[in-house]
Amino acid sequence: MGGKRATGRNTIRAVFSHFSQAYDLESLVMYIVFLMNYLCGCRVTEITSLVPSQVDFYLNLIKFRTKDAGSRKNTTKVIPLPPFLRSQLFLYTKLLEDCGHNYRCSSLLFRMCDGNPIPITTSFVNDYYHKICIANGIEHFTSHCVRYQTQTDFTKEGLSFEFTNCVLSHYSYRDEIFNPYADISFVEFEKEYYRIANILLQEYLA
Amino acid sequence: MRSVTTIQNLLQPYFDLIIGTLSRRPSGARERMRKFRTLQHKLERYFADVTSFDGLDSLRKWKELQLKEKRNLSASSLRIFVQDVNTILGLLANDGKIQMIRLTPPPRQHASSEGFNIEQLLHFTFADVQQLWLSIQGSTEQELTLLFALIICSGCHPSHLIHLRVGCVEKRTITIQSGGLIQSVLLEPARTRLYKFVLTMKLTAEDGVFMPNCYKRFVACLKSQCSMLGVPNITPSQLMYFSRFLMVRNGVPAYVVASMGKRNSFSPLGEDNFELIKDISQLVIGENKC
């Protein structure tokens, strides 16, 4: 096999059903990471480098930032928050507040607080996905395969090429919305994005 | 090889050539000309003991200059500095005075979202700006409150806004003469505030709206308010980028917003785009609360 490829819809469905039966804090954190990975088409580094101020509940958007990794230049992307993901994130921040944790003061939004806080890394997420694969008897996949599935699903549901690139923040197309040389409206992008995210979530959460 | 006494005589013709070319540009290119003059002074100081072109023909010395400037300049300024040095080196090499030497400019720090600098907006949210506005509105001078409102409602940089004259305020736009023509929109709550301020202060059409030291006071005020409220530190530039971010977020194309508040570049907002952003300022500085 070897090469990276899209996970397939059955795998995504199995992951959603796995998380629907888990109720601990670790599962909630990983569920949100998975939702961002799938719905926002994020790399794990983009998710794990999130700080609380990058999630704007009032404007309903997330500002992602990826630090330099090798030769890759810094990237930013702004993705609208789908209502379901918003509710999960809101629940997570409320839970942190209830636990007496001042999440706004911590440097990172997602940490595993089992005794000493452990920052979540790409290998941590991939290991977690591997455990899900073993528990549910599905084929092994990585966080990047989920990005491929995002591209596949969003394109299949009719999201246009420039909007898909806004979601995935591909190197040559990143930040098209905030690029003065392109004519892309955030409102149109948001409308299309919500429509397709709702279709996909209805399918997986049914 | 021609023997010349000072480094100034060696480099002067090349800088004259560049500045002469720049001055023929329609916009004047004053900022680029200033940068080249600064570069000339720096090179004259650094190569003070050089008396011939042989002294300039050393990659090591130029790299040491880059390293020296790295301590003083920000990453983006260093990038421009190295590019300008490369221009001079290219001219010298074309004349056969030195070997072809090229320095490597540092990579762009903020390669993406040019003109919007989303990178600078990551540490605060909409709620923080709104909290800051409520605090500034309640506690400080009317002039600073008006400046805050104008930044949000026009997307102009405050260092330009302080040059605003009463006679240059129109129904939906403002025009500022500050090293070039700067134009931007003027959204509603700030417009009314501006008119009230002008009437209260009894200003005439030729008067400037703000005092000359207003910008410094505004920076200090923002800093103190942020620390008092416990919100992340927000600078006036970040406030401007936030205002532009809101405009794009509400659906105005980036190329339209990018030209607002920029020297000698303004594409008037169409009626549709104006409708999209007219409520933005109400969100931040209106009566709404999170």
Side-chain angles (χ1 to χ4, degrees):
Chain A
M1 296 288 288
K4 292 170 187 171
R5 62 191 185 85
T7 56
R9 285 202 174 197
N10 286 338
T11 305
I12 299 289
R13 195 172 290 114
V15 178
F16 268 100
S17 95
H18 171 87
F19 280 119
S20 67
Q21 290 153 16
Y23 299 102
D24 55 321
L25 185 62
E26 187 189 36
S27 301
L28 176 63
V29 173
M30 294 312 295
Y31 188 27
I32 297 169
V33 170
F34 171 73
L35 282 173
M36 283 189 179
N37 191 191
Y38 178 62
L39 290 177
C40 305
C42 295
R43 302 175 184 92
V44 174
T45 48
E46 288 169 352
I47 302 167
T48 54
S49 64
L50 270 180
V51 294
S53 60
Q54 284 174 244
V55 183
D56 203 324
F57 286 114
Y58 193 94
L59 295 177
N60 265 343
L61 47 85
I62 316 181
K63 298 167 270 185
F64 286 104
R65 174 81 170 143
T66 312
K67 298 280 181 193
D68 259 352
S71 60
R72 183 181 293 282
K73 288 181 182 174
N74 292 352
T75 60
T76 51
K77 69 169 177 176
V78 181
I79 298 287
L81 257 177
F84 182 69
L85 178 57
R86 187 185 190 280
S87 63
Q88 295 295 318
L89 260 174
F90 197 70
L91 173 69
Y92 173 64
T93 52
K94 282 287 166 207
L95 266 175
L96 287 180
E97 278 176 7
D98 290 348
C99 296
H101 178 71
N102 190 355
Y103 78 98
R104 282 188 69 90
C105 290
S106 70
S107 53
L108 296 174
L109 187 61
F110 296 114
R111 273 165 184 253
M112 285 299 168
C113 293
D114 186 12
N116 292 327
I118 310 161
I120 300 169
T121 58
T122 308
S123 55
F124 184 94
V125 173
N126 284 340
D127 287 351
Y128 194 89
Y129 285 170
H130 191 57
K131 281 181 204 164
I132 295 176
C133 292
I134 293 168
N136 294 281
I138 49 178
E139 201 179 334
H140 172 71
F141 67 96
T142 63
S143 57
H144 210 82
C145 299
V146 178
R147 258 169 72 82
Y148 282 94
Q149 190 59 37
T150 309
Q151 163 99 48
T152 311
D153 286 353
F154 276 72
T155 310
K156 197 174 176 187
E157 295 297 339
L159 195 69
S160 63
F161 179 69
E162 66 267 27
F163 290 158
T164 317
N165 280 309
C166 292
V167 176
L168 296 171
S169 74
H170 274 154
Y171 181 74
S172 322
Y173 300 95
R174 66 190 185 279
D175 264 350
E176 287 296 299
I177 293 164
F178 289 93
N179 183 345
Y181 309 114
D183 184 2
I184 294 182
S185 161
F186 188 87
V187 171
E188 283 171 28
F189 168 54
E190 190 183 35
K191 203 171 142 192
E192 274 294 284
Y193 177 77
Y194 280 163
R195 184 182 68 78
I196 293 169
N198 281 340
I199 291 172
L200 293 173
L201 283 171
Q202 271 173 14
E203 183 190 327
Y204 292 128
L205 297 174
Chain B
M1 186 169 281
R2 191 163 58 100
S3 66
V4 191
T5 50
T6 61
I7 179 71
Q8 194 178 1
N9 294 341
L10 291 174
L11 295 178
Q12 191 66 46
Y14 299 99
F15 279 102
D16 284 348
L17 183 70
I18 291 170
I19 288 170
T21 314
L22 287 174
S23 62
R24 281 199 295 277
R25 282 192 192 170
S27 60
R30 284 165 53 171
E31 188 61 18
R32 300 290 302 128
M33 278 155 65
R34 191 183 64 76
K35 288 242 161 80
F36 271 104
R37 285 204 192 92
T38 316
L39 175 66
Q40 188 179 3
H41 295 315
K42 278 182 183 169
L43 293 184
E44 282 169 11
R45 275 201 302 275
Y46 183 73
F47 291 107
D49 53 344
V50 171
T51 52
S52 72
F53 284 112
D54 293 342
L56 298 176
D57 198 358
S58 157
L59 177 61
R60 185 180 57 79
K61 276 191 180 174
W62 289 101
K63 279 195 170 174
E64 278 173 8
L65 173 67
Q66 185 179 359
L67 203 64
K68 186 178 165 234
E69 288 303 318
K70 196 178 175 183
R71 293 184 210 117
N72 306 330
L73 298 174
S74 66
S76 54
S77 301
L78 184 69
R79 187 176 158 81
I80 294 167
F81 174 81
V82 173
Q83 282 170 341
D84 291 351
V85 168
N86 278 340
T87 311
I88 294 293
L89 288 172
L91 290 174
L92 288 168
N94 280 347
D95 272 7
K97 307 291 184 195
I98 58 169
Q99 299 280 320
M100 179 54 90
I101 297 173
R102 306 300 284 173
L103 300 177
T104 314
R108 277 177 193 273
Q109 283 289 298
H110 307 305
S112 53
S113 64
E114 191 184 342
F116 289 92
N117 295 337
I118 309 294
E119 300 82 4
Q120 296 192 24
L121 308 180
L122 298 179
H123 70 287
F124 65 92
T125 60
F126 182 90
D128 294 328
V129 178
Q130 208 170 40
Q131 209 181 342
L132 190 61
W133 163 249
L134 291 175
S135 166
I136 282 187
Q137 195 187 17
S139 67
T140 51
E141 310 162 44
Q142 208 183 350
E143 196 182 8
L144 302 186
T145 315
L146 177 66
L147 187 55
F148 189 108
L150 275 177
I151 295 170
I152 294 293
C153 296
S154 70
C156 254
H157 197 278
S159 62
H160 294 148
L161 276 175
I162 56 166
H163 298 292
L164 179 67
R165 298 200 167 276
V166 177
C168 300
V169 181
E170 287 158 38
K171 191 186 171 191
R172 280 186 175 185
T173 56
I174 49 172
T175 310
I176 304 164
Q177 277 289 350
S178 161
L181 190 70
I182 295 160
Q183 281 185 301
S184 192
V185 287
L186 180 61
L187 299 175
E188 185 36 56
R191 193 171 67 116
T192 312
R193 277 178 178 273
L194 182 59
Y195 286 159
K196 277 183 188 167
F197 182 78
V198 169
L199 289 174
T200 316
M201 305 298 282
K202 293 176 182 163
L203 301 173
T204 60
E206 282 75 35
D207 289 336
V209 177
F210 298 103
M211 302 284 280
N213 65 346
C214 186
Y215 182 61
K216 276 188 181 174
R217 282 190 290 133
F218 186 64
V219 173
C221 169
L222 274 188
K223 204 173 177 182
S224 65
Q225 291 291 332
C226 286
S227 64
M228 197 179 77
L229 292 169
V231 299
N233 197 18
I234 302 171
T235 63
S237 317
Q238 286 164 353
L239 213 54
M240 175 200 70
Y241 291 130
F242 182 72
S243 160
R244 291 177 176 207
F245 175 80
L246 277 181
M247 290 179 190
V248 177
R249 191 247 170 273
N250 273 36
V252 185
Y255 66 89
V256 176
V257 179
S259 66
M260 291 197 299
K262 197 174 171 185
R263 276 202 185 95
N264 306 319
S265 161
F266 182 63
S267 43
L269 284 176
E271 198 61 36
D272 297 345
N273 287 335
F274 194 84
E275 286 299 313
L276 285 170
I277 61 168
K278 72 176 185 184
D279 295 333
I280 290 170
S281 43
Q282 290 285 359
L283 279 176
V284 184
I285 64 175
E287 296 304 313
N288 301 344
K289 288 179 184 176
C290 275

